[in-house]
Amino acid sequence: MRRRILRSMLTVLMLTTVALGVPLTYTAWLWVEDITRNDLQSRLERIAVEVIAQERDDGRVHDGLDLRTVRPLVPEDGRLTIVYPAPHDNASQVDIGAERVRDPMLESLSMGASGSLRLEVPSAPMHARQRQAVAVVGLAVLASLGAAVTVAVVTTRRVADPLRDVAARAARLAMGDFRPDPRRHGIAELDRVSDVLDSATVEIAGRLQREHALVADVSHQLRSRLTAVRLRLDELSAHRDPDVVHEAEEAMAQVDRLTEAIDDLVRASRDEDATERDPVPVMDELRGIVTEWTHPFTEAGRTLQLIGDQQLRAPITGSRLREAVAVLIDNALMHGGGTCTVSVRTVRPGGDREPLVCVEIADEGDGVSDELAPHIFDRGFSGAGSTGVGLALARALIEADGGRLELQRRRPALFAVFLGAPTAMRQANGVVGEPR
């Protein structure tokens, strides 16, 4: 941003310098010439006074023009020609000074009936003074341009640095750094933004603290209820009917998995940083979810399958990935049709960017309507009478680990979860996962 501001200011300064410097240089050139010509005219006027003073009553010059009063008025290397009337209407002239003037500059003056004067001087001295004047003007323009550039740099730094500091503070706030920053920059608008960020920091920190406390309380209550349910199921495991015992054991396994999922989600809510997380095997995390949902698909006369590379790993929170994929599988069961396939593969953003792990959930149903597709991840929006929370929650869980959840294909529906380091995900945003 500093470069853009500085570039804009320097462009304006250069245009202003050219727009003012060229006319000023031309004016200085003409000004020196005008001064020189005015000096020659002044000399001619003084010479005319001396010549006229030597006229006789009949209008003729006295015998022999007294040059002592005229010669000092002729510039060095210059030549003065006095043309005055003579008897029988023949004009005569008197030359004073150099015999020949090289590259002359000429000025003349008429004395009426007394004749005329013509003064020639070399133009080289005038051209030298003109070049000096242009040089002085150029130096003045360069000096003013240098001062303007200095002011532009200082002004740019004064504007850009505070903006960068405020942007960095907003980024730290987004990353969960709620430390106060008392710095102010003396710019009313930016200081107002800093004040708002201070207020937002206090409010966000308070809300997060209340949410963490609420999550802890809710998880405690759920674990207590699940413990009570498990105790009741444990009593049923001693029943004489083998079918009842089998169902009780399956229900206890479900309770154990739910308890473990609650504990994982609570721990994940307290640890938002995925950059330091060790990569986990994606297939191992998904295998239990697919196994759990196989029975509901079988009862519905459908098939659920898991395919992919067993070696793929990603720096994610296992509980978040499992819950998000469970939401997508449940969505495929409720609204999709045919075989539901959960596949794990690698995608490459291109260039030198890190490869990403992609988890795709696809079915063979009618897909997502054009009216519903733009709002499918909006919280509270549903086209089939559901709560409209599931897909929004799934996207929030994936994004919490720096990933992305997208609807890649509408008909039949295909959801894609991109997993990877947050830096890689930001670089790949808009590059990977284009609709097929």
Side-chain angles (χ1 to χ4, degrees):
M1 179 181 62
R2 178 191 295 181
R3 291 181 179 179
R4 290 196 298 270
I5 297 176
L6 184 58
R7 190 182 300 115
S8 300
M9 296 183 70
L10 291 180
T11 300
V12 174
L13 288 175
M14 291 300 297
L15 293 176
T16 304
T17 300
V18 172
L20 296 179
V22 172
L24 186 59
T25 302
Y26 182 68
T27 301
W29 185 274
L30 295 180
W31 177 66
V32 173
E33 182 177 354
D34 289 342
I35 290 178
T36 304
R37 292 189 179 276
N38 289 336
D39 179 66
L40 295 180
Q41 284 291 335
S42 177
R43 289 174 180 271
L44 288 174
E45 290 174 357
R46 292 164 62 187
I47 292 173
V49 171
E50 294 295 335
V51 171
I52 294 173
Q54 298 185 36
E55 287 183 356
R56 296 185 307 190
D57 295 339
D58 57 2
R60 297 178 59 187
V61 179
H62 296 291
D63 294 335
L65 180 63
D66 187 2
L67 302 180
R68 289 178 300 178
T69 59
V70 175
R71 188 178 297 278
L73 299 176
V74 180
E76 185 179 359
D77 298 330
R79 178 180 180 181
L80 173 66
T81 301
I82 304 174
V83 180
Y84 53 86
H88 313 296
D89 295 329
N90 291 326
S92 60
Q93 68 179 35
V94 177
D95 294 327
I96 303 173
E99 295 182 359
R100 181 175 179 274
V101 178
R102 187 175 180 179
D103 189 17
M105 179 180 181
L106 178 63
E107 283 292 323
S108 60
L109 176 66
S110 176
M111 297 185 295
S114 301
S116 63
L117 302 175
R118 185 174 69 246
L119 183 59
E120 300 175 63
V121 295
S123 60
M126 181 193 69
H127 293 327
R129 289 192 295 272
Q130 285 178 323
R131 288 190 292 270
Q132 292 175 356
V134 170
V136 171
V137 171
L139 290 176
V141 170
L142 291 178
S144 62
L145 181 60
V149 169
T150 303
V151 173
V153 172
V154 173
T155 303
T156 301
R157 183 177 302 170
R158 176 169 173 76
V159 173
D161 288 351
L163 285 174
R164 186 173 55 189
D165 292 342
V166 172
R169 183 184 178 190
R172 292 196 302 269
L173 179 60
M175 296 297 294
D177 186 353
F178 301 115
R179 290 175 297 176
D181 191 347
R183 288 182 299 174
R184 295 297 183 267
H185 304 90
I187 301 176
E189 293 78 5
L190 292 181
D191 291 345
R192 174 58 180 163
V193 173
S194 298
D195 294 338
V196 173
L197 287 177
D198 283 342
S199 301
T201 298
V202 174
E203 180 65 22
I204 294 174
R207 289 188 179 184
L208 287 177
Q209 185 176 6
R210 291 192 296 270
E211 289 179 1
H212 286 164
L214 178 61
V215 168
D217 294 341
V218 171
S219 62
H220 175 74
Q221 290 298 105
L222 286 176
R223 282 195 295 268
S224 299
R225 299 296 186 272
L226 289 174
T227 300
V229 171
R230 197 183 192 288
L231 291 176
R232 298 295 299 272
L233 292 174
D234 188 56
E235 294 177 359
L236 291 177
S237 64
H239 199 275
R240 296 179 180 180
D241 189 344
D243 293 335
V244 174
V245 173
H246 176 72
E247 292 297 329
E249 290 176 349
E250 289 292 330
M252 284 191 293
Q254 290 278 5
V255 170
D256 292 339
R257 285 195 292 270
L258 181 58
T259 302
E260 181 182 358
I262 291 174
D263 292 338
D264 289 342
L265 289 175
V266 171
R267 284 194 297 270
S269 68
R270 296 170 181 172
D271 180 18
E272 298 292 338
D273 190 5
T275 58
E276 303 296 333
R277 198 166 291 129
D278 294 331
V280 299
V282 178
M283 291 288 286
D284 291 348
E285 296 294 335
L286 298 180
R287 190 172 289 109
I289 294 296
V290 172
T291 301
E292 180 180 340
W293 283 89
T294 299
H295 182 67
F297 271 83
T298 302
E299 289 184 343
R302 297 172 57 189
T303 302
L304 175 63
Q305 60 182 0
L306 174 65
I307 59 175
D309 188 351
Q310 301 286 341
Q311 305 300 322
L312 292 181
R313 306 168 71 89
I316 57 172
T317 305
S319 58
R320 288 173 176 169
L321 177 62
R322 292 194 299 270
E323 290 301 316
V325 173
V327 170
L328 297 172
I329 293 176
D330 179 52
N331 185 74
L333 176 62
M334 297 296 296
H335 308 293
T339 300
C340 178
T341 302
V342 180
S343 59
V344 181
R345 64 185 181 92
T346 302
V347 293
R348 296 187 178 276
D352 297 332
R353 288 174 289 193
E354 300 176 5
L356 306 175
V357 176
C358 179
V359 180
E360 295 179 333
I361 298 89
D363 62 70
E364 300 171 347
D366 295 333
V368 182
S369 64
D370 294 337
E371 295 78 13
L372 179 61
H375 309 285
I376 194 169
F377 293 108
D378 294 346
R379 182 176 295 272
F381 185 87
S382 174
S386 60
T387 61
V389 175
L391 291 177
L393 174 62
R395 169 171 275 190
L397 290 172
I398 295 300
E399 290 180 348
D401 278 338
R404 291 189 355 255
L405 171 58
E406 296 180 354
L407 175 62
Q408 291 289 88
R409 187 178 63 214
R410 297 183 180 183
R411 297 185 181 87
L414 172 72
F415 291 88
V417 177
F418 297 97
L419 306 174
T423 302
M425 293 304 301
R426 287 193 294 268
Q427 292 175 343
N429 191 18
V431 178
V432 182
E434 297 297 330
R436 297 191 272 182

